[in-house]
Amino acid sequence: LFGYVGIEAVLDQMKIKTMKTGFEFNIMVVGQSGLGKSTMVNTLFKSKVSRKASQPGQEERIPRTVQLQSITHVIEERGVKMKLTVTDTPGFGDQINNENCWDPIIKYINEQYERYLREEILITRKRKIPDTRVHGCVYFIPPTGHWLRPLDLEFMRRLSKIVNVVPVIAKADTLTLEERAEFKQQEDLKTHAISVYPQEDFDQDPDDRVLNDRIRENIPFAVVGADQEHQVNGKRVLGRKTKWGIIEVENPTHCEFPLLRDLLIRSHLQDLKDITHNVHYESYRVRRLNESNR
Ligand code: GDP
Ligand code: MG
């Protein structure tokens, strides 16, 4: 009809636009205390995501987390700017009665939707609404090697209705290979119909399905966190030094932290943002606007 017009030039335009404005990406870590959440926040920032941005010589001990706390770094790579915020949360499950221990977390997630909504419904609104919504929530499962506890199931059930949940097995270096394999074969999440990220319902096409099926087979990722660097064969690596050797967190043969980081920061970043906006935020918005119209 028209012959070649060259509409793919739009791709370059999108790219340039994103480079100019940058983008925001927000992650949250959730789980019982002592499972390595705060360490993981540091691991994320100290690993290749932002090696340049991290300051050397900062090796303080991680204090016990007592309140929700967000850390933001602007990470720039080849002209692309990402404002990465990781929200650390205090551990729950310390109380004898853990009823409603999810309330503060769910409240925080909903508050970010509310903030966004308030900006969005203004008559004169910002061209770019600041986005503090949680795009991915990493849920730490204790490395017991047994079935998921009722508390974990209940928490993830609630969370997965409002946010993208990425479950991980915490402190995976404490599991034997058999325990780890057994843990990963659990069908708990499926049997309890808890839909963690990447949700099967949102696969867009057969290619997506193939790619995401491979990720789903590997979930929950067995991760190890560390915030200290060590020398290995003349290279500095992030790892945990034990009597038996160094567990390198960025080495895929040692643990699955690289898979977690790749999923969040590389391969599925835009998808996490899209699902947050189109599914989770959308249902919050509908619910809220229905309420206020009553
Ligand atoms: P949080 O309460 O979940 O924030 O846990 P922290 O990050 O404060 O870590 C609690 C303790 O577990 C600290 O002594 C950490 O050094 C240790 N830890 C953190 N990550 C790991 C891990 O992957 N493996 C092991 N073995 N210990 C870890
Ligand atoms: Mg902590």
Side-chain angles (χ1 to χ4, degrees):
L1 198 63
F2 289 109
Y4 180 73
V5 183
I7 51 173
E8 90 255 18
V10 74
L11 293 178
D12 289 327
Q13 294 156 34
M14 286 170 160
K15 200 168 141 189
I16 290 165
K17 219 168 194 166
T18 312
M19 286 174 85
K20 277 190 184 149
T21 47
F23 60 91
E24 290 153 310
F25 188 60
N26 310 313
I27 302 173
M28 185 179 210
V29 294
V30 174
Q32 196 176 319
S33 52
L35 291 182
K37 296 180 298 300
S38 301
T39 307
M40 186 55 66
V41 174
N42 286 4
T43 312
L44 267 171
F45 281 120
K46 284 202 173 178
S47 77
K48 288 205 189 70
V49 182
S50 69
R51 189 144 279 170
K52 272 181 240 117
S54 74
Q55 287 126 350
Q58 278 193 336
E59 308 281 18
E60 319 119 38
R61 272 194 76 78
I62 297 168
R64 193 185 147 96
T65 323
V66 288
Q67 58 185 23
L68 267 92
Q69 192 182 8
S70 297
I71 304 177
T72 300
H73 281 242
V74 175
I75 294 159
E76 194 169 343
E77 236 177 52
R78 297 199 196 161
V80 183
K81 271 201 231 92
M82 164 166 80
K83 191 172 154 205
L84 175 64
T85 299
V86 183
T87 303
D88 194 1
T89 62
F92 59 84
D94 308 341
Q95 272 69 47
I96 293 173
N97 182 359
N98 288 310
E99 208 179 308
N100 303 333
C101 61
W102 39 74
D103 281 354
I105 310 252
I106 296 204
K107 183 164 161 263
Y108 175 85
I109 295 170
N110 281 329
E111 273 168 8
Q112 311 318 308
Y113 292 143
E114 182 65 28
R115 257 203 215 185
Y116 196 90
L117 180 65
R118 296 213 168 176
E119 291 280 351
E120 202 184 49
I121 57 181
L122 291 177
I123 290 177
T124 20
R125 57 185 176 185
K126 299 189 178 110
R127 268 185 69 184
K128 192 166 175 294
I129 300 174
D131 192 1
T132 56
R133 296 170 299 179
V134 179
H135 300 117
C137 179
V138 180
Y139 188 91
F140 284 66
I141 302 169
T144 56
H146 304 297
W147 299 86
L148 293 179
R149 303 168 306 170
L151 178 63
D152 294 313
L153 289 169
E154 186 59 27
F155 208 147
M156 279 193 270
R157 185 197 334 276
R158 284 165 190 264
L159 275 178
S160 63
K161 287 185 182 141
I162 61 167
V163 73
N164 294 316
V165 177
V166 180
V168 298
I169 304 170
K171 299 186 171 180
D173 53 319
T174 60
L175 293 171
T176 65
L177 289 178
E178 287 85 24
E179 285 168 337
R180 178 158 144 173
E182 195 186 325
F183 211 131
K184 276 173 140 316
Q185 271 168 14
Q186 285 185 21
E187 299 275 292
D188 278 17
L189 292 170
K190 234 180 247 158
T191 36
H192 287 85
I194 297 171
S195 173
V196 297
Y197 185 82
Q199 303 90 338
E200 262 171 74
D201 298 352
F202 307 145
D203 289 342
Q204 298 206 320
D205 53 41
D207 288 347
D208 245 21
R209 171 131 306 175
V210 173
L211 178 74
N212 287 343
D213 275 344
R214 207 173 311 144
I215 292 164
R216 283 188 279 264
E217 276 166 28
N218 272 310
I219 276 180
F221 296 131
V223 299
V224 176
D227 58 354
Q228 308 270 317
E229 291 191 339
H230 305 277
Q231 289 282 351
V232 174
N233 302 328
K235 267 191 282 179
R236 291 198 74 70
V237 299
L238 205 52
R240 304 189 73 80
K241 190 169 188 166
T242 72
K243 219 160 159 92
W244 303 276
I246 292 172
I247 304 155
E248 300 166 31
V249 299
E250 292 177 272
N251 183 336
T253 63
H254 289 199
C255 78
E256 294 177 327
F257 170 74
L259 293 182
L260 173 69
R261 186 189 56 197
D262 274 11
L263 177 80
L264 294 175
I265 315 274
R266 193 177 300 161
S267 62
H268 284 62
L269 189 145
Q270 190 56 46
D271 189 55
L272 283 157
K273 289 182 63 138
D274 288 346
I275 292 181
T276 301
H277 185 73
N278 298 330
V279 180
H280 297 306
Y281 171 66
E282 191 60 19
S283 59
Y284 180 86
R285 200 183 68 88
V286 168
R287 191 154 30 94
R288 266 283 278 115
L289 296 182
N290 270 332
E291 265 168 28
S292 48
N293 283 342
R294 232 178 267 143

